[in-house]
Amino acid sequence: MELPTQRYRVTRADLVRYAGASGDFNPIHWSESFAAKVGLPGVIAHGMLTMALVGRAVTTWAGRPDAIVEYGVRFTRPVEVPDTEDGTEVQVSAVAKDTDDPGLVRLDLTATCAGVKVLAQAKAVIKRP
């Protein structure tokens, strides 16, 4: 069963707030010139911020944070965040599948930004409501 797509706006201001909370002030997350120097297309979101947004979607679908039993992803593409008021949008979708345990559901997750998949092998196992 497909679950409703969740959408999350990410702006440069969000990157600043996340850097302050995480302590990750790597210039690839705020400096256009530094990001270009290291071969990136522009300033990118923190990978863990992207993972947290997907985790937020899982929590929304599960109905509560303590319903998450397992959660994991692999990073495949960066989320580029333009220096505009609107920033960019991360879209998260999922397909729910039964597991061998009748009390659990597996979610096969897809996260995209600008139509490009940014995570691979993204999955979660949640308790049934």
Side-chain angles (χ1 to χ4, degrees):
M1 166 176 76
E2 247 182 82
L3 300 176
T5 298
Q6 304 293 314
R7 292 173 169 77
Y8 301 100
R9 179 90 14 224
V10 181
T11 66
R12 294 275 179 100
D14 294 322
L15 301 185
V16 170
R17 285 190 283 276
Y18 189 83
S22 69
D24 181 353
F25 294 99
N26 187 322
I28 64 173
H29 303 304
W30 56 268
S31 171
E32 203 77 47
S33 63
F34 187 87
K37 227 185 276 185
V38 297
L40 293 169
V43 167
I44 62 170
H46 303 74
M48 295 305 289
L49 173 58
T50 304
M51 187 176 179
L53 293 174
V54 176
R56 184 172 162 194
V58 172
T59 303
T60 298
W61 291 315
R64 60 187 213 278
D66 65 342
I68 299 173
V69 175
E70 181 182 326
Y71 174 52
V73 305
R74 293 224 175 151
F75 303 105
T76 56
R77 298 273 186 266
V79 171
E80 187 178 350
V81 182
D83 192 11
T84 62
E85 189 175 308
D86 291 337
T88 194
E89 183 179 77
V90 175
Q91 296 183 356
V92 186
S93 59
V95 175
K97 297 182 177 180
D98 290 331
T99 67
D100 292 337
D101 183 329
L104 301 176
V105 176
R106 175 182 159 165
L107 301 180
D108 290 335
L109 306 163
T110 302
T112 61
C113 181
V116 176
K117 272 180 77 170
V118 296
L119 300 176
Q121 299 178 18
K123 66 177 179 136
V125 176
I126 60 173
K127 296 175 188 172
R128 288 189 187 274

